[in-house]
Amino acid sequence: MNALTRSAPWRGTAWIMGKLGISGRTLVIAIPMLWLLIFFLAPFFVLGRISLAEAIIARPPYTPLFERGPDGTLEIIASFENYRFLLADALYRNAYLSSIQVALISTIFALLIGYPIAYYIARAPEPKRSILLLMVILPFWTSFLLRVYAWMGFLRSNGVINNTLISLGLIDSPIQMMQTDFAVYIGIVYTYLPFMILPLYANLTKLDGALLEAAGDLGASPMTTFFTITLPLSLPGIVAGSMLVFIPAIGEYVIPALLGGPDTLMIGRVLWDEFFSSRDWPVASAVAIVMLFLVVAPIMWLQSVQNRREES
Amino acid sequence: MRGWFLPLAVLFGFIFLYAPILSLIVFSFNESRLVTVWGGFSTRWYGELLRDRQILNAAWISLKVAFWSATLATIIGTLGAFVLTRFSRFTGRLLLTGMITAPLVMPEVITGLSLLLLFVSMELTLGWPAGRGLTTIVIAHTTFCAAFVAVIAQSRLRQMDESLEEAARDLGAGPVRVFFDVTLPVIMPALVAGWLLAFTLSLDDLVIASFVSGPGASTLPMVIFSKVRLGVSPDVNALATIIIGIVLVAVLIAGWLMRRAMRNPL
């Protein structure tokens, strides 16, 4: 390290920065700040600006925001036509609504499957607990695309499930599971299950066992204890886990594209098709902006719930 | 929730998590072209994979992208985490806090589309980046991977004993020396874990890469997606098995490093 700070380029840079009045501290702050301002925040302004343009056949395929008027003045051309189009067209409205519906149903399924697992892990003794926890997280790290692909082989008409059921003699002809909404729910629950389990687990380990014992001593059945003590106390974990499933599920593209049928409408897919197939960048941008609000609203709500809880 | 119900529900949950992956791996060794009908053991699809130039090219591109994205993301994410944990007051602190975590929850289609529009606008006004390809994918991946690295680095920096840094300062070390000689070695295992995480995330991304890539820069997920869209194919099973194996090893190393780092009280 000493060799570095004593080297000529290092001292030269330090000298120039000193002359310009930039301290090392400012530079350290500036690197991540500038990167994120340019590549995270600025894109949203570009997105918003292009959502107000019109699609044309040119490069780039949208109208400019500023144009020189006949007398040389700069005119701003912006129209909310794309947004009006989104509101008027039933396709987009239905896509937004059905995205919310699919995300909601998947979240409920994820909760029903994830809660018992989280509860069981939270109650398990070490080292069983760590091993189970690792087993929950492990599939999450293996490729997302390939995990969805794995379900294609499972759900197809001559896939693993149908073949097993037929060879067991339970059904005569394959059940149609691929290209249905059911397959999309499975895909989403499967992909985002760890996101549900981890916050629930974190919450349930903090649960005071003495409360459960007290309830039991006072004659409450395990069922009553669960519904009057465990469930209400784990509500923050339920909310956090549900949000972590619900939010990414709304914008999902790959799962409905691979597992859903042609009539599985989801907004991420509509945006993708609008961009890649119709090549209508302004409408795609408007779809993205509306979707952004759909995603930001639950996050803001979650934040305010958390803040209120911390205050009380 | 006692008795038979709970263990059964848990068993069902784990079967749900693992059965599809296991069947994917088993059928990658299947002789038959029909992916889900067993036709005997064979490594035929692995051989076929090695002769597929398109997949090999895409894999090479993906590895390059993942390497550079993970490296840049580790630098930017670590700096961001360092600034947020060590500098309590500066202009734009709240903005940086928001910007560094927001990519974690942003839908990929929005990130992808907005970055592409930025690149197109920049090319029109600044002339850079000229066209889209490797560079633009690396920039896009760096941005969202940095968020994950920042989360890991932040928790490590918070947990670290700051009196070590103070001691070094008291002994006359400048801020740069304190960072490189004290802070960096202590948080290094967490940074390696963050790098590995960023690497796997970049390797895995389909949606963002599809938006910001250009002709001739198809990443591996893009090639897999276009194959898989038409239906299941056995060589994808073979590829999946290889990828799952690599990722598993990387994750286990990262997890082990994280655990060791957390147990170390420094």
Side-chain angles (χ1 to χ4, degrees):
Chain A
M1 193 51 232
N2 267 330
L4 174 64
T5 45
R6 270 196 220 115
S7 68
W10 180 277
R11 282 161 66 180
T13 317
W15 183 80
I16 293 169
M17 272 168 49
K19 281 283 163 197
L20 291 170
I22 303 170
S23 67
R25 187 185 137 104
T26 313
L27 188 73
V28 169
I29 296 174
I31 294 170
M33 190 73 123
L34 282 178
W35 181 282
L36 289 167
L37 280 176
I38 297 172
F39 296 118
F40 180 72
L41 201 61
F44 290 109
F45 289 100
V46 180
L47 191 69
R49 165 233 177 290
I50 289 172
S51 76
L52 300 176
E54 259 174 68
I56 49 169
I57 301 169
R59 282 182 68 124
Y62 51 84
T63 53
L65 189 61
F66 301 104
E67 209 156 69
R68 291 241 174 249
D71 47 351
T73 51
L74 215 54
E75 287 173 11
I76 300 175
I77 312 157
S79 85
F80 288 90
E81 195 49 46
N82 295 323
Y83 291 95
R84 207 166 44 230
F85 174 61
L86 288 193
L87 289 177
D89 197 318
L91 170 81
Y92 299 100
R93 233 188 2 251
N94 291 341
Y96 282 113
L97 289 177
S98 88
S99 294
I100 294 176
Q101 185 197 333
V102 168
L104 206 64
I105 294 176
S106 311
T107 306
I108 293 169
F109 276 122
L111 183 61
L112 291 178
I113 298 175
Y115 200 102
I117 298 180
Y119 186 90
Y120 186 79
I121 297 178
R123 291 264 156 278
E126 286 290 354
K128 194 178 170 191
R129 182 195 278 199
S130 298
I131 293 169
L132 287 175
L133 207 56
L134 184 71
M135 279 179 68
V136 167
I137 303 169
L138 217 49
F140 166 67
W141 293 123
T142 61
S143 168
F144 158 70
L145 179 62
L146 294 174
R147 275 181 298 145
V148 177
Y149 168 73
W151 276 101
M152 290 175 73
F154 237 55
L155 298 173
R156 286 185 327 151
S157 3
N158 60 345
V160 175
I161 292 181
N162 273 319
N163 284 352
T164 313
L165 290 177
I166 291 175
S167 62
L168 288 175
L170 293 173
I171 50 170
D172 299 323
S173 56
I175 312 167
Q176 167 81 23
M177 286 181 286
M178 267 293 282
Q179 305 199 325
T180 60
D181 283 0
F182 171 71
V184 176
Y185 298 146
I186 286 201
I188 293 177
V189 172
Y190 185 69
T191 308
Y192 296 109
L193 194 60
F195 289 100
M196 178 63 90
I197 294 178
L198 292 179
L200 276 173
Y201 161 79
N203 176 279
L204 286 167
T205 41
K206 281 185 289 182
L207 188 73
D208 190 353
L211 283 174
L212 304 182
E213 257 174 56
D217 291 346
L218 292 170
S221 71
M223 273 301 225
T224 321
T225 314
F226 176 74
F227 282 106
T228 52
I229 296 176
T230 312
L231 196 63
L233 281 177
S234 61
L235 212 55
I238 294 177
V239 172
S242 301
M243 282 295 155
L244 287 181
V245 177
F246 183 78
I247 293 167
I250 285 188
E252 193 50 58
Y253 165 72
V254 176
I255 296 170
L258 289 183
L259 298 176
D263 54 334
T264 312
L265 262 186
M266 282 194 76
I267 199 63
R269 205 175 171 189
V270 169
L271 189 155
W272 181 285
D273 291 340
E274 206 62 73
F275 182 82
F276 286 103
S277 310
S278 321
R279 304 205 170 273
D280 192 332
W281 294 16
V283 167
S285 306
V287 171
I289 293 277
V290 176
M291 188 160 120
L292 196 60
F293 282 106
L294 224 59
V295 174
V296 168
I299 295 174
M300 300 284 257
W301 179 73
L302 183 67
Q303 283 287 326
S304 75
V305 168
Q306 270 173 351
N307 288 347
R308 238 181 296 145
R309 188 166 295 116
E310 272 162 27
E311 277 164 23
S312 66
Chain B
M1 306 255 281
R2 216 174 283 158
W4 53 268
F5 172 74
L6 194 58
L8 205 68
V10 173
L11 186 69
F12 170 75
F14 278 111
I15 289 175
F16 178 70
L17 277 178
Y18 281 92
I21 298 178
L22 289 179
S23 106
L24 187 85
I25 293 171
V26 168
F27 280 105
S28 76
F29 295 105
N30 189 6
E31 171 66 39
S32 161
R33 179 167 279 284
L34 296 164
V35 174
T36 45
V37 180
W38 187 252
F41 181 86
S42 131
T43 50
R44 166 184 168 195
W45 305 111
Y46 289 88
E48 212 134 294
L49 205 61
L50 289 175
R51 282 187 293 274
D52 192 328
R53 297 243 33 110
Q54 194 197 8
I55 284 193
L56 291 181
N57 267 338
W60 180 233
I61 288 175
S62 274
L63 287 173
K64 275 194 285 189
V65 166
F67 174 81
W68 287 112
S69 310
T71 308
L72 281 172
T74 306
I75 295 171
I76 290 165
T78 308
L79 282 176
F82 180 78
V83 162
L84 287 175
T85 44
R86 294 292 186 267
F87 302 161
S88 54
R89 245 171 229 275
F90 59 89
T91 332
R93 190 173 198 285
L94 196 67
L95 182 68
L96 187 62
T97 315
M99 285 197 305
I100 214 154
T101 45
L104 295 176
V105 287
M106 198 52 65
E108 290 169 316
V109 280
I110 298 185
T111 311
L113 176 64
S114 63
L115 269 168
L116 167 74
L117 296 178
L118 176 84
F119 291 140
V120 171
S121 306
M122 279 171 80
E123 193 183 353
L124 284 173
T125 49
L126 307 173
W128 183 91
R132 289 177 296 283
L134 231 63
T135 319
T136 48
I137 308 178
V138 168
I139 291 174
H141 281 185
T142 300
T143 309
F144 89 88
C145 290
F148 287 87
V149 176
V151 169
I152 295 178
Q154 239 176 321
S155 74
R156 186 69 187 105
L157 281 165
R158 282 220 186 88
Q159 189 210 22
M160 174 187 164
D161 188 356
E162 276 184 61
S163 58
L164 282 172
E165 292 169 337
E166 271 164 41
R169 264 195 300 275
D170 290 347
L171 291 170
V176 177
R177 257 200 97 176
V178 173
F179 181 77
F180 282 100
D181 284 357
V182 180
T183 318
L184 201 59
V186 173
I187 64 170
M188 199 39 124
L191 297 191
V192 174
W195 188 91
L196 284 170
L197 173 56
F199 188 84
T200 57
L201 285 170
S202 165
L203 213 55
D204 196 21
D205 169 66
L206 163 73
V207 175
I208 295 174
S210 300
F211 275 99
V212 299
S213 97
S218 292
T219 63
L220 193 56
M222 288 163 71
V223 172
I224 295 176
F225 186 66
S226 63
K227 267 179 177 283
V228 157
R229 258 192 141 165
L230 309 168
V232 282
S233 72
D235 50 339
V236 175
N237 278 38
L239 183 62
T241 306
I242 295 173
I243 293 178
I244 288 172
I246 293 172
V247 171
L248 228 61
V249 171
V251 167
L252 289 175
I253 293 174
W256 179 71
L257 284 171
M258 269 306 264
R259 271 180 82 96
R260 220 183 53 168
M262 289 301 175
R263 234 183 282 139
N264 187 350
L266 281 178

